[in-house]
Amino acid sequence: MTTAVAIWTFLVPLLLLWWIFQRAAGLKGGLATIVAGVAAFGAVLFPWFGHSLPHWSASLSGNFSVIMAVLLLVGIISRAGGCGFFRAGDWKAAWIFGAVASLLLYPSALGLGPQNFDSYALGWPWLFRGQSLVLFGGAGLTAALLIWCGNRFGYVLLLALLAYATGFQESENLWDYLLDPVYGAVSLLVVLWSAIRRVSR
Amino acid sequence: MSGGSHALTHVRTMPTLPRLILAAVALAAGIGPWWAAHEHGAKSFPGFIVQSHTDGAPPLFRTETINAGSPHAKSHSATLAELPDGTLAAAWYAGSGEGTSDVAIYLAKRSAGGAWEQSEAIFTRQRVMSDLRRNVVSLGNPLLLADDTARLGLLFVSIAAGRWSGSSINLAWSEDNGSTWGPARKITMNPLANLSSLPRNPPAPLVGGGWAVPVYEEFLGKFPETLWLQPRGSDWSAAVSRIEGGVYILQSSLVPLSERRVASFFRDFRPARWMSASWSEDAGRTWTKPVTTELYNRDSGQCVIRLSDGTLLCAFNDVSPGKRENLRLAFSKDEGRTWQTVATIAEEPGSEFSYPYMIRGRDGAIRMVYSARQTQIIFAEFNEAWLQQQTEVAP
């Protein structure tokens, strides 16, 4: 594990716990955010079954998506009363992107769908040359269109693409910079909940 | 994080030109890595190197126990490679039991014409935990990668939690033919926490360097894949392609038939009990739908290699009262569609002979390792003349 991956696998669980503590306690404002952050820091360092949470999460997967990390950071800062970088439409774009990407990726990764097709393989730019352009070009085009339309999720997507170019993660697959099971599951739940509310109105 | 129901588009607060520049940067950030990978990276399905040499020697057959006197209750899943000077290297996992914390990866070598040396633990759980800086419960399934240099590669599994479904694949290199090893690193194989990936069966060398390694997933689905390992400067690129999805076949045996044509044979655990097979005409990019062959397979590991005249040779567990009481060899003259059993390597009621792993040496001889009762690692060496002799006496 490189130092960059070690830092990343520490940072993302910290942000996740920070956000959870902040939300669970119904806290708002700068001081409350600091308290939640200190509690999250303590929980991250606390040994659970012999190891810290980052150690466990890295053992099971070191590839947290850049998008999820940025969304957590934006969520924490917004609730702290800082700059409202994301507006409702930006969040909506984030959830739709996560839900659509999850549906495209995870069923296929589990061996479902077309039997010898794995959309995860398109995340390596050199293996399936032509097909992988759909993912790389599609992600770039989505980010470009969102930025052009003034949607700030486009900047987050751009950040994920630039992070992929640096190769700081353990994975060489673009999907792992865009999506992870936590972001995917939350996105699906939010989109599903929104759809149910819309239908039941 | 938050939610909302407003429209995607907002009032444009940023002037047009900066927005246009940022949109162009985003598009370039998407396509740039894709373009760069094609310019400087690994090759897409480059084709296979097909071995076709034969030794022309008189019939030869002999077996030897590699880990004689081993103190371990469990020794299993052996792999074999030939180094540039003809030395053979075998690796396997051993410990007090499958998935136990004392399991380590062992390596033994045999110089050309010599005897097997005492095995040494090259990767212990503690060493791998230190290399990966992660939790490791146990180790397993080693697979050696050898080419014409002094560099020797090792793929092996580390289990983060639970049993085999909690495993992921690691790669380590030795620059001195296996005497010392560099740090292991994890290979990302799937997006689902990168778990449940295992290697099995010999790698197929690729044109331009690198290997196609048979791997498989057993998380919710159970299916075979190919791990493509190719040199990229001083490092290696790794990517995975699917052979077939679903929940019924795994542990493929990859057999190059020509540079672009390749066959794959699978361990099959459907009730029908037949080994299944698939073929690719485009160097492993796409595969035919797997079909059952007429070779018995009761959910056990098999290994297939190509002989000098294009005949395929399969080592497999044939019908027996127990699950793996024999280890036999079968020929196929039609690229794996039909098979004829020609020889028995080992057979003993109540015993177990499993996980055969075959390679063809530069001298044309066939070398095999397999586990007996999952405690002994047996080395078998034979040649095409001996196989021909067996064919003549086979019923």
Side-chain angles (χ1 to χ4, degrees):
Chain A
M1 191 196 292
T2 63
T3 304
V5 174
I7 292 170
W8 188 245
T9 52
F10 178 84
L11 188 67
V12 180
L14 173 67
L15 288 173
L16 185 60
L17 281 184
W18 195 342
W19 180 81
I20 289 171
F21 287 171
Q22 200 186 29
R23 300 284 294 194
L27 300 172
K28 280 189 177 179
L31 184 62
T33 300
I34 291 169
V35 171
V38 170
F41 199 79
V44 156
L45 294 179
F46 186 80
W48 306 90
F49 300 102
H51 297 290
S52 67
L53 198 63
H55 187 89
W56 277 115
S57 60
S59 299
L60 295 170
S61 174
N63 299 308
F64 297 107
S65 71
V66 171
I67 290 180
M68 185 177 79
V70 176
L71 292 182
L72 286 167
L73 194 61
V74 169
I76 291 166
I77 292 172
S78 297
R79 202 162 177 85
C83 59
F85 179 71
F86 258 35
R87 296 154 300 189
D90 306 327
W91 283 111
K92 188 175 180 181
W95 302 136
I96 291 173
F97 180 86
V100 170
S102 294
L103 292 174
L104 289 174
L105 179 64
Y106 293 122
S108 151
L110 284 168
L112 306 171
Q115 288 297 281
N116 52 14
F117 176 73
D118 180 12
S119 49
Y120 189 63
L122 305 187
W124 288 292
W126 54 273
L127 189 62
F128 290 93
R129 284 185 183 181
Q131 293 96 318
S132 63
L133 181 58
V134 175
L135 177 64
F136 283 80
L141 193 61
T142 305
L145 286 172
L146 287 169
I147 289 169
W148 178 249
C149 293
N151 189 292
R152 291 174 179 175
F153 178 65
Y155 300 116
V156 179
L157 201 47
L158 169 60
L159 199 62
L161 291 170
L162 292 173
Y164 177 76
T166 69
F168 85 92
Q169 292 241 53
E170 203 162 48
S171 170
E172 300 170 28
N173 193 300
L174 176 62
W175 281 111
D176 292 315
Y177 287 76
L178 302 177
L179 188 66
D180 58 58
V182 177
Y183 169 44
V186 173
S187 299
L188 283 169
L189 286 173
V190 171
V191 169
L192 192 66
W193 179 241
S194 300
I196 290 169
R197 276 175 52 189
R198 180 167 291 202
V199 169
S200 61
R201 254 183 221 158
Chain B
M1 293 190 274
S2 181
S5 57
H6 293 181
L8 280 180
T9 311
H10 290 283
V11 178
R12 293 168 186 169
T13 50
M14 190 185 282
T16 304
L17 186 61
R19 237 176 335 113
L20 188 64
I21 291 170
L22 276 172
V25 168
L27 196 57
I31 295 174
W34 176 83
W35 185 265
H38 295 171
E39 290 292 304
H40 309 293
K43 299 285 178 285
S44 170
F45 303 101
F48 297 95
I49 296 169
V50 181
Q51 296 177 317
S52 58
H53 34 246
T54 181
D55 62 352
L60 161 78
F61 178 85
R62 65 193 192 92
T63 64
E64 193 179 343
T65 302
I66 298 179
N67 65 337
S70 164
H72 306 295
K74 176 101 174 180
S75 296
H76 194 40
S77 194
T79 171
L80 189 64
E82 184 181 26
L83 308 181
D85 64 353
T87 297
L88 292 175
W92 62 91
Y93 77 82
S96 59
E98 189 171 299
T100 55
S101 61
D102 64 341
V103 165
I105 306 296
Y106 288 81
L107 181 92
K109 289 201 271 190
R110 191 201 78 163
S111 56
W116 285 98
E117 296 166 4
Q118 185 69 33
S119 64
E120 284 182 29
I122 52 171
F123 279 97
T124 61
R125 186 176 71 96
Q126 288 76 15
R127 158 86 195 262
V128 178
M129 281 178 77
S130 168
D131 285 357
L132 301 179
R133 292 155 80 177
R134 290 176 155 103
N135 193 53
V136 175
V137 172
S138 189
L139 307 175
N141 284 38
L143 195 146
L144 289 166
L145 305 163
D147 57 18
D148 292 333
T149 70
R151 174 181 282 171
L152 183 63
L154 178 76
L155 291 165
F156 65 96
V157 152
S158 62
I159 301 173
R163 302 282 289 178
W164 294 119
S165 57
S167 63
S168 52
I169 295 178
N170 309 290
L171 174 63
W173 294 103
S174 166
E175 300 295 339
D176 52 11
N177 279 329
S179 298
T180 58
W181 289 86
R185 74 172 173 95
K186 197 176 277 277
I187 299 178
T188 303
M189 306 273 292
N190 69 56
L192 293 154
N194 193 30
L195 295 176
S196 300
S197 299
L198 299 103
R200 166 75 192 138
N201 274 327
L206 298 172
V207 172
W211 298 269
V213 184
V215 294
Y216 61 99
E217 301 275 340
E218 54 173 45
F219 185 46
L220 295 177
K222 291 185 198 302
F223 46 83
E225 297 179 316
T226 307
L227 167 63
W228 303 89
L229 273 176
Q230 291 187 46
R232 184 188 58 187
S234 59
D235 202 0
W236 289 77
S237 283
V240 181
S241 66
R242 177 81 47 82
I243 295 178
E244 174 75 2
V247 293
Y248 60 93
I249 53 171
L250 39 70
Q251 294 184 354
S252 65
S253 193
L254 212 54
V255 188
L257 305 169
S258 69
E259 189 175 314
R260 307 296 300 173
R261 189 166 160 71
V262 58
S264 194
F265 301 91
F266 310 107
R267 172 175 174 173
D268 192 323
F269 49 93
R270 286 174 293 186
R273 307 291 191 212
W274 300 115
M275 183 174 77
S276 51
S278 185
W279 292 266
S280 170
E281 303 287 346
D282 52 10
R285 172 189 285 267
T286 60
W287 292 87
T288 61
K289 188 85 184 157
V291 294
T292 50
T293 68
E294 54 181 48
L295 198 66
Y296 182 78
N297 184 267
R298 186 181 169 185
D299 184 19
S300 63
Q302 37 65 34
C303 184
V304 184
I305 59 169
R306 182 183 178 275
L307 301 181
S308 59
D309 64 350
T311 299
L312 301 188
L313 176 70
C314 179
F316 70 109
N317 294 118
D318 205 350
V319 181
S320 67
K323 196 173 178 183
R324 299 165 181 173
E325 291 180 348
N326 58 51
L327 186 62
R328 298 200 212 283
L329 298 175
F331 271 163
S332 174
K333 301 281 187 186
D334 54 8
E335 298 188 338
R337 287 169 181 82
T338 60
W339 293 86
Q340 179 198 0
T341 303
V342 291
T344 298
I345 296 289
E347 185 163 28
E348 185 183 319
S351 195
E352 180 189 315
F353 307 98
S354 52
Y355 274 43
Y357 189 105
M358 289 190 289
I359 60 168
R360 293 197 66 217
R362 290 179 182 82
D363 60 1
I366 297 144
R367 273 111 191 184
M368 176 199 284
V369 282
Y370 62 92
S371 36
R373 293 165 286 279
Q374 296 197 19
T375 55
Q376 290 178 302
I377 302 300
I378 310 290
F379 169 71
E381 185 173 32
F382 48 94
N383 59 9
E384 292 191 10
W386 178 79
L387 284 168
Q388 187 57 39
Q389 206 175 52
Q390 303 307 302
T391 314
E392 286 157 10
V393 299

